[in-house]
Amino acid sequence: MPQLSLKEIIDKVDELKGYFSSSLRDAEDIDRLRELESEVLSKKGSIASLNKQLGSMDLDLRQAAGTVINDARAQMRADYEAVLARHLAAAREKELEAEKLDLSEIVSGSDFHAGRFHLISKTKSELEDIFIGMGFAVEEGPEAETDWHNFEALNIPPYHPARAGQDSFYLKYGEPESMLLRTHTSPVQIRVMTRQEPPIYAVMPGRVYRRDTADARHTPVFHQIEGLVVDKGITFANLAGAIETFTKAIFGPNIVSRLRPGYFPFTEPSAEFEVTCAICEGAGCRTCSNTGWIELGGCGMVDPNVFGAVGIDPEVWTGFAFGFGIDRLAQMRFAISDMRIFLDNDVRFLRQF
Amino acid sequence: MKIPYSWLCDFVPLGTLEFEGSSATPSHELIQHLTDSFNDLGLVVEGVEWVGNGLDEVVVAKVLEIHGIEGAEKIRRIVVDAGEAEPLQIVCGAFNFEVGSKVPLAKVGAVLPGDFAINKRKMRGVESFGMLCSTIELGLGQDKSGLMILSDDAKVGSKITDALAIVPDVVFDLAIENNRPDANCVVGVARDLAAWLKLPFVAPTVPAFRTVSPSESVRLTGVEVRCPDQCDRLLVALFDSVNPKPTPRIIIDRLNLAGMRSVSPIVDISNYLMLELGQPTHPYDADELAGGVISVRLADRGETVVTLDGTMRTLGLPDVRGRESTDVVIVDGSDNPVGLAGIMGGEESEIKESTSNLLLELAHFTPMTIARTSKRLGLRSEASARFEKGVDPRILEVALARFSEMLGQLPAEVVQVTKPGANDTWEIDLRVSRVNEILGTAIDSEKVSSLLRPIGFDTEDLKAGVLKVTVPTNRPDVMREIDVIEEVARHYGYRNIDKIRPDSKFVGALKPLQRIRRQLAFLAVGMGFYETWSATLLAPGEQERFGDTGAFLEVENPLAQEESILRRSLLPGLVRALRFNVNRNEDEVRFFEIGKVFSVFEGEINETERLAFLLAYPGDAVTSAMSVFATISDFFSLEKVSILNRYELDSVKRDLLDENALAESWNGLHPTRSAFLVANGCIVAQVGEVDRRALAESGVHHDGRVGYLELDFQRVTSLIPPPDVMTPISQFPVAEVDLAFEVPDSVSARDIEYAIAHEASEHIVSSKLFDVFRGGSVRSGYRSLAFSVRMSALDRTLSDSDISGVRARCIAMVESRFGAKLRG
Ligand SMILES: [Zn+2]
C-alpha cells in the first residue's frame, strides 16, 4: 500500500466530511440515516478504514493524522446524532398525530358500570357508622318473630291498646297469633338482653311490617333503627344527650333536638323526639307544617317490666331505648314525596343515589 | 280529641294569662303558648282550628241581579244589596244561587280565616268589590261546592256572626296517648294544663243527692251486678216524666266543635258529659225495659243482641286465642240483653222523642273486658275507647250530678252497686333519690311534691327521702314508682332536663358477618349492580311459577291476597322489579338484593339471609351470572364449591347433596341451564337462567336470557377461609403447560380445574380452563377441556425433567380420577 501524505489524509477526510454532510442532509428517513452511520462511522465504515491506513506512517505524522480523523469523526457523529434526533422527533410527532384519541367520545358504562346502593341501605349504613362511632354494636334479629318478643316481653300484653296502633301481620303457624312479622325492631332489644349481660350499647336496624294500607307516608314494609343502652347510672339526661349527639351527626351542627312526653309501653318515662327541620333550619316550611320541628322517633327509659321479662335487675341497671324510621328519614332528607317508590325498584330512581 | 278553648276556660282561667288581645277571642300569642304547653305535657297538638274568626267584615247580602260576562264561562257578574246605600258589584264563580238568595259577602278589607285578604279585583275587565263565600272559605264547614246559602230571614247588611249567632272559638286537636286516660276529657286536660301554667283548676261543682243500695230502694230493687270483676261500679238513676228543654246553643256549638252532632236533648247531655268528664252514660226508656230495671252480667255463649247500629251481635264466644269470653251485657228485668255493656246500647230500649221516664246507666267497666269484646267484634265507639283506656270510678257521681243539673231535674231514685275497693285510691312509695337516678336531675322532695299535688297526687313526706304518694282514681295508669317518676318528669318539663352524652364502655365495630355483608354489597356495586329492596310478601302461586313447591309461611290476615305469602327466595321479588323496569323500556338491568327468606322445614320456621343477583340485557346474561359467583369466590378466596347442573340431579352426583338439601327454599331456574353450587353437602347458591316460561307467566317480556345467582349468605361466609400467613412467592421463572383432555359430559370442568391446581403437584401454582369444544374428533358424550397450567418451585428453576414429571402426574391424576383422556 503506498504511503499517504498528511495532506492526502486531510483531503480524504474533507472529502468524506463533505459526502457525509450532504448525505445527511439528503437522507429521507431514519433507515437511510442508520445506513449512512454504518457506512461511514461504524467500525467497518469509511472512517475506520481510513484509520487503518495510518498504520505504516511515522509516529509524529500518525499522531497528527489521527487527530484530524478523530476530530472529523467526532464532528460527523455529532451532526449525525443531531439529524437523527430531528428525524426521531418528527416521526414521533407523526405517530402521535396518527394515534390521536378523543376521550370525550368515550361514553360511560361501555366497559364498567357503576352500581348503586339502595337509598335505604345507604342510609342504614350511614346510621350504623354513626352509632359505631359512639361505641355501639350493631345487633340483628329475625323478622318472623314470636308474639312474646314482639309484644309481651315489651310490656304489651294481649288487648293492650298499643297493639291497635301496631296492626300486625300474624302468621299461619303454631297457636293463633303466636307468630307474626315483627312490627318494630324492639324485639331485638329483648333478644340482646336475653343473650347478653349488661352493659349493653347497641343499635338494631331492620325491616318491620305493619298492616297499614300503603300511602305516600306509609308502606306495610319499612325499616327502623332501634338503640338500646343498659348500664349503671344511665339517666334520662343521657338519653337526651345521646339523641342530641346522633341527630347532630346525621343532620349537622346547626340542628338541635328536643324531647316531649310520649307513650310507649316498653319505656317509662317515654318521649317523642324532634329535631330542627333540616329543610328550613327552624324557620318553618311545608315539610315541618310551619312548626320548625320534625318529629323523628320515640324513646324513653327502659321500663322495669321489660327488665323483669329478661331478668335484669332494674335497681342495679338502668337504660334507655330509642327508635326511628330509616325510610322516613330518607324521605325527609331527599324530599321523596311518595314512599311507595322505595319498593318499585325503578332504575331511574335507584341510579339517583 | 278536639277541645274548644272556651270549654277549657270553664275549668281553668286561661283569660287571666297576660297576652295581648281581647278576652272574647284569644290572641294568637296565647294560643301558641297553649299549644307549646300541650306539647310539653305530651298532649300533642295535631291541629289548631280558629272558628268564627276573621268574619268581622263578612255581612249578609241579597242577590239582586245575575249577569254573564262576555268570554267567560266560569264566572258571572253579580249585583248584591249589602245593606249599603248603593248595590255592590261582585264577580263570582259559584252557580248554586238565584236572584233573591241571601249569601255571605266578604267586603273589601276583610281578612278571612287562613289570612285570606279580600281586595278590590278586576276579572275579565269587570271590577269586583268583595267576595261571595262558601262555608269552607269562612271556616264554618267543609262545603266548597258552592256559596253558603243563608236563611231568608237573615237581615241584609247584618254581620254574619250575628245572623248565624256564631261565637268565635279556637279548637285544639289533641292526640291523647294510651297512658293518659285522664286526658280523654275536657276536665282532665284542663287539670293538667292548669298545673303546668300554675293557674288554679276549677273542679266541676257537684250538687249533693242521695244514693242507696238496690235493696234499700223502692223501684230499683231488681238492679244487680252479677259480674263485679268486669263491672265494679254501677249507678242507676230514674228520672220521671222528663221534659227536656231544647239543647242550648252553646252545648250544640261545643258538641259540633268537638266533632259530634246534636241528636236530641237527652243524648246531647250524655255526649256532652262524656266529652267533659270522660264518663259514658247510657239513657234508656224506662217504660221499654221489662221490670223497669237493668242489671249487668256476662253474656251467655251464643247470646245475641241487636246494637244501635242495627247489627246483630253474637256474644259469649271465645277469642282467637281460645280464651273464654268476658263479654258483658246489660239486661232488663227479664234478663234479656238490652245493650252491649260499655260499647253500644241496644236498639229496643233506645230513648225516643216520646220517652217520658228515663233510666240512666252509669257504670265503670274494667278496661280489659271492654278491650276484648271490642276487638273480637271489631266494634269501637266513643264509650268503648274510653273504657278500654280506663275511666275514673269516682266520676260517676259527678257525672250524674251534672246530668241532673243539665236536665234541670233531680233523679227520683239512685241506686249504686260498688265492688269493695273499686273506689279506693292507692299509695306508692316514691324515693326521691330514684327520681334523680332515673331523670339525671337534682330535685328535692319538696319540689317533687309541688309538681305532683296540682295534678291530684297527694304526697306525704315519710322522711329519709321517701314520699308516700296517693294516686287519684283518674290515673289508673299510675301503678308503680316509675309511673310517678314520669309524672314528675312531665311537670318538671322534659326540656329542663340536661343533655348528657352517655359514655359507652365499648369500642363500636361491625361484627364479622356484618362486615362481610358490606364487602359483598360493595363488591356487587363495584360489579355494576343496583341494589333493590323488593317485597317480602308475595301472591299465592307466585313462587310455584318458578317451580318452587316447597312449604311456605302464610300471613293469617293479609291486607290483600297478592301480599300474603312470605318469600322463600329473592327471585320473585327481583322478577317483579325486572317487570316494573321492562314495562318502562328499561330492559338492561343488573340488580342485587340482600334479604331474608322464609320457609318451613320439619315444622320449624327457617329464616335465612340470601344475596341474589339478577342480570338482564339483550343477549345471554347467564354466563355472566356464573362469573359473578366466580368473582365473589375469587375475592373471598372461597373454599371449594362443586357445581351440580340441575339436569344432573338424578345422576350419581346427587351424592354431593345431603338428603334434605333440595327441600330447602331454592326456587327453580331453567331446568337445563342452571346449577347448584354445593359445599359440604349443602346448597350454597344456585345460578343459571330464569326460565323464560316463568318470566312470560310473570308478565316479563324480555328478549335476552336473564341470568340469576342466589347465595345463602351464612353458608357462603362459612366458606371464607380463616386468615393465614402469606404464601411464599417463587423468585424463579414460571413454566406454562397446556393440557387438553377429552372429558365425559357428566364431569364438572371446575372440579378438574380445582383438582389440577390443588391436588396434582406442589409445583402447580394455578390452572385455568381456557377452551371448551364439542364435536370434531371428540366422541359424543364427551367434550374437550383445555387447561393452562402454570408451575414453579420456590428454590430453583424447574428443569425440563421436573416439568415433564409434573405434567405426567397431572395427566395421570385427571385421567384416573375423572375418566378423562389426554388429547394428542
Ligand atoms: Zn321546615
Side-chain angles (χ1 to χ4, degrees), chain A residues 121 143 159 170 211 257 303, chain B residues 319 480 499 531 556-557:
Chain A
S121 78
E143 293 174 17
Y159 301 108
Y170 283 100
R211 200 173 170 277
S257 63
D303 194 288
Chain B
D319 69 10
R480 305 166 300 168
K499 293 173 177 173
E531 187 180 16
E556 175 77 48
N557 56 338

Side-chain angles (χ1 to χ4, degrees), chain B residues 644-655 657 662:
Chain B
L644 177 53
N645 284 310
R646 192 179 287 267
Y647 60 74
E648 297 171 310
L649 270 183
D650 298 327
S651 76
V652 62
K653 285 209 196 162
R654 179 65 186 272
D655 296 348
L657 287 177
L662 286 170

Side-chain angles (χ1 to χ4, degrees), chain B residues 315-335:
Chain B
L315 308 176
L317 303 178
D319 69 10
V320 63
R321 291 155 187 259
R323 270 178 269 202
E324 276 307 303
S325 152
T326 54
D327 296 344
V328 176
V329 285
I330 308 294
V331 294
D332 62 14
S334 307
D335 207 35

Side-chain angles (χ1 to χ4, degrees), chain A residues 277 279-280 284-285 288:
Chain A
C277 175
I279 310 285
C280 63
C285 69
C288 58

Side-chain angles (χ1 to χ4, degrees), chain B residues 293-403:
Chain B
V293 294
I294 57 164
S295 288
V296 184
R297 66 161 168 83
L298 286 173
D300 294 332
R301 197 183 178 105
E303 193 166 25
T304 58
V305 60
V306 179
T307 43
L308 271 178
D309 55 4
T311 309
M312 160 103 72
R313 311 279 175 180
T314 307
L315 308 176
L317 303 178
D319 69 10
V320 63
R321 291 155 187 259
R323 270 178 269 202
E324 276 307 303
S325 152
T326 54
D327 296 344
V328 176
V329 285
I330 308 294
V331 294
D332 62 14
S334 307
D335 207 35
N336 289 320
V338 293
L340 190 49
I343 301 179
M344 198 175 271
E347 210 172 27
E348 285 174 30
S349 54
E350 192 183 353
I351 56 158
K352 309 163 188 64
E353 241 176 272
S354 60
T355 296
S356 166
N357 299 317
L358 189 75
L359 182 146
L360 190 68
E361 164 215 322
L362 301 101
H364 183 258
F365 300 104
T366 49
M368 183 62 83
T369 184
I370 302 301
R372 286 182 59 183
T373 304
S374 168
K375 186 186 175 204
R376 190 177 58 77
L377 297 177
L379 177 62
R380 281 173 64 81
S381 64
E382 289 278 341
S384 74
R386 285 176 170 77
F387 282 125
E388 236 177 81
K389 287 167 190 157
V391 169
D392 182 1
R394 287 194 177 181
I395 203 77
L396 299 188
E397 280 81 358
V398 182
L400 178 55
R402 286 283 284 140
F403 190 94

Side-chain angles (χ1 to χ4, degrees), chain A residues 116 118 121 128 135 138 140 143 159 170 172-173 207 211 231 236 257 268 270 303 315 345 347, chain B residues 319 431 438 480 483 486 494 499 504-505 514 517-518 528 531 533 536 554 556-557 581 603 607:
Chain A
R116 292 285 192 281
H118 195 282
S121 78
E128 287 171 352
V138 179
E140 297 166 20
E143 293 174 17
Y159 301 108
Y170 283 100
K172 282 189 187 168
Y173 181 85
R207 182 173 274 208
R211 200 173 170 277
D231 204 344
F236 195 90
S257 63
E268 185 96 349
S270 300
D303 194 288
E315 289 294 322
N345 297 309
V347 293
Chain B
D319 69 10
R431 293 164 291 169
I438 295 290
R480 305 166 300 168
D483 301 325
E486 182 172 62
Y494 279 18
K499 293 173 177 173
S504 170
K505 307 283 182 290
Q514 293 164 339
R517 184 193 288 135
R518 278 210 197 169
E531 187 180 16
W533 289 73
T536 316
E554 195 175 351
E556 175 77 48
N557 56 338
N581 287 288
E607 179 175 335

Side-chain angles (χ1 to χ4, degrees), chain A residues 276-294:
Chain A
T276 323
C277 175
I279 310 285
C280 63
E281 301 215 316
C285 69
R286 238 186 47 184
T287 308
C288 58
S289 317
N290 280 316
T291 60
W293 294 92
I294 295 279

Side-chain angles (χ1 to χ4, degrees), chain A residues 16 22 26 41 78 110 131 171 177 213 221 238 260 274 289 300 304:
Chain A
L16 200 54
S22 69
D26 296 344
L41 297 175
S110 39
F131 288 110
L171 300 177
E177 302 196 349
T213 311
V221 180
N238 293 144
R260 63 160 195 237
E274 298 178 308
S289 317

